[in-house]
Amino acid sequence: MTRDACSQTSRQASRRNRRTRAFTLVEMVATITIIATLITVVSPLILTSMDSYASSAIRAEMVSASSTCLERVTAEVRQIPLRAGQSSAKPAVDSVTSSSIMWSTNSSIELSGTDLQLTIAGGTPRLLLSNVAGFVVQTYDESNTALAALLSGSACDAIRRVQFTITVTRGGVTETLRTRVFLGCMRSGALP
């Protein structure tokens, strides 16, 4: 074989190898179509998982903050004293509305806008919880019968239990927690 013939044969073989190694336009379009279809099918699953994780994280944070708030509310309500100068045991609750409770003349737990606040002895209101969508106060008497939503003065003497319901909303997630508190001053061991 001559050198030219050998060189030509080598070039032809290299062209054939290049053709067999490269993708054709049809193969590339088919591959891109398959990949796009897979992405279209898988991406909603991934996005749903990410949204679910974010919602769970927000919900866990809200439940934690709400639980801490309710623990503080419970501790404060259990410490409401007896009304001074009374012949029988009566709690020192001054008034109750559907979203607040006041005791000992200048202490209260109330919803102010979207903030749940605690005021002790007329001091500066302290923020207990923010982003509160709802705060409901319900009172009960000795026989566990619900009392009126608005109470003041001597009508508050029948209160033995207080139920608090807190609804918190953050990032499109809503969570509601509820607790019922027995007034500490009304326990049988606390009576004079």
Side-chain angles (χ1 to χ4, degrees):
M1 245 202 220
T2 67
R3 191 172 182 182
D4 285 336
C6 196
S7 170
Q8 189 176 18
T9 307
S10 170
R11 276 186 255 148
Q12 286 174 349
S14 111
R15 277 189 219 139
R16 267 186 258 136
N17 285 340
R18 270 189 256 150
R19 273 191 233 141
T20 58
R21 286 186 285 160
F23 290 109
T24 65
L25 183 60
V26 173
E27 290 172 330
M28 287 179 57
V29 169
T31 302
I32 290 170
T33 303
I34 291 170
I35 290 172
T37 304
L38 286 173
I39 289 172
T40 303
V41 169
V42 173
S43 65
L45 297 173
I46 292 171
L47 292 175
T48 301
S49 297
M50 288 171 45
D51 287 345
S52 186
Y53 175 78
S55 294
S56 295
I58 290 170
R59 180 168 274 114
E61 180 186 325
M62 286 188 326
V63 167
S64 176
S66 298
S67 294
T68 301
C69 174
L70 284 176
E71 287 174 11
R72 179 68 190 267
V73 167
T74 298
E76 292 299 331
V77 170
R78 282 193 178 140
Q79 293 178 22
I80 293 175
L82 289 172
R83 197 176 297 280
Q86 297 289 320
S87 58
S88 61
K90 297 175 183 170
V93 176
D94 300 320
S95 67
V96 177
T97 68
S98 59
S99 63
S100 70
I101 182 168
M102 291 187 70
W103 67 94
S104 299
T105 309
N106 54 6
S107 295
S108 67
I109 298 170
E110 62 187 334
L111 184 62
S112 177
T114 61
D115 294 335
L116 187 60
Q117 297 179 336
L118 168 67
T119 304
I120 301 292
T124 304
R126 295 183 210 155
L127 178 65
L128 293 177
L129 189 63
S130 58
N131 299 317
V132 178
F135 177 66
V136 178
V137 179
Q138 177 63 59
T139 55
Y140 297 87
D141 66 10
E142 197 171 311
S143 62
N144 207 28
T145 303
L147 299 171
L150 298 174
L151 298 172
S152 63
S154 63
C156 296
D157 293 346
I159 298 172
R160 297 297 179 266
R161 296 168 195 86
V162 182
Q163 177 176 291
F164 298 98
T165 305
I166 297 175
T167 303
V168 182
T169 302
R170 288 186 193 147
V173 178
T174 301
E175 193 65 40
T176 301
L177 276 79
R178 177 178 296 130
T179 189
R180 191 174 287 189
V181 183
F182 290 85
L183 297 180
C185 65
M186 300 309 294
R187 292 188 310 234
S188 60
L191 297 175

